[in-house]
Amino acid sequence: MLGLFFIALSANAQAYLVLRKKGTKRKYEYTVGDQLVYKQKGQEVFFADRITEFADSTIILENNLILLEQIEVVDVRHANTNRSEFLRVAEVYLPVIGGGLFLLDQINNTLVDGNDLSIHEGTAITSGAMIGTGLALKAARRKKVDLTNPKFEIYIVDLK
C-alpha cells in the first residue's frame, strides 16, 4: 500500500513550462509530450518540436535543446490554458449553429412550406450575430506571446 502511494507521488511530480502575462491570472502551460511552436532569437522562422524533458532553465526537445532566454516568441494556440471552457466552446460552435439556423430556416421556408426562396429578417440577424460573435471570439484570442515584451514571463515549474 505504501508503495502505491510513492508511485502516485512520483507520477504526479513533474515539471512543466509556464508562459504568463505579469499581473494577470491568464497562463499557458506545456508539459512533457506537448508540441512547442517557437521562434528563437536571431531567427526569422518558427520551429515546431515536441518537448521531451525540462532541466533547470532548459527545454529538451526531440530535435533541439533550448534555453528559456533563447526563445523570442511562442505560438500559444495549442497550449493548455486556464481560459474559460465556455469561451473555447463558443468560438467553435457559435458559427456552426448560426449557419445551421440559417440553412434550416431556408429549407423549412422553401421545401416544407413551399414558398419562394426568401430571407427572414429575424433569422438573418440572429444567424449573423451568432456567426459574428464566434468569429470575434476566435480573433480576440491570443495567438502568440512575445517574450521580448517585459510584460510576459516564461519559467519552468518543477514539482519534485
Side-chain angles (χ1 to χ4, degrees):
M1 191 66 133
L2 191 57
L4 288 174
F5 176 73
F6 287 117
I7 290 172
L9 275 179
S10 66
N12 289 334
Q14 66 177 3
Y16 59 96
L17 178 71
V18 176
L19 290 117
R20 70 180 202 95
K21 186 174 183 180
K22 296 176 185 174
T24 65
K25 294 181 180 181
R26 177 64 39 106
K27 63 182 177 178
Y28 304 94
E29 297 177 350
Y30 292 91
T31 58
V32 172
D34 289 345
Q35 184 176 26
L36 180 67
V37 179
Y38 64 96
K39 185 163 75 168
Q40 219 170 334
K41 288 183 181 174
Q43 300 290 326
E44 295 297 322
V45 296
F46 279 85
F47 298 98
D49 209 346
R50 192 151 315 280
I51 300 171
T52 59
E53 190 178 346
F54 297 106
D56 294 330
S57 63
T58 306
I59 305 171
I60 302 169
L61 304 163
E62 284 182 349
N63 300 312
N64 199 1
L65 181 76
I66 188 166
L67 296 171
L68 295 180
E69 297 83 33
Q70 294 175 311
I71 300 174
E72 185 175 326
V73 179
V74 177
D75 184 339
V76 293
R77 283 181 275 198
H78 303 293
N80 300 320
T81 182
N82 61 350
R83 184 172 185 234
S84 168
E85 182 69 26
F86 177 77
L87 293 176
R88 281 187 260 169
V89 170
E91 81 179 25
V92 173
Y93 289 115
L94 275 176
V96 174
I97 293 169
L101 174 66
F102 187 77
L103 183 65
L104 283 175
D105 182 61
Q106 292 304 311
I107 290 171
N108 185 44
N109 190 33
T110 56
L111 296 179
V112 176
D113 293 342
N115 298 330
D116 291 336
L117 184 63
S118 64
I119 297 173
H120 290 109
E121 184 180 348
T123 304
I125 290 171
T126 304
S127 297
M130 290 174 134
I131 293 169
T133 303
L135 295 176
L137 285 172
K138 189 173 196 87
R141 180 175 37 125
R142 183 176 303 281
K143 293 162 185 65
K144 296 177 185 166
V145 172
D146 184 5
L147 295 170
T148 59
N149 186 341
K151 292 181 181 179
F152 293 98
E153 63 183 346
I154 184 170
Y155 54 90
I156 295 173
V157 177
D158 196 1
L159 300 173
K160 289 185 182 177

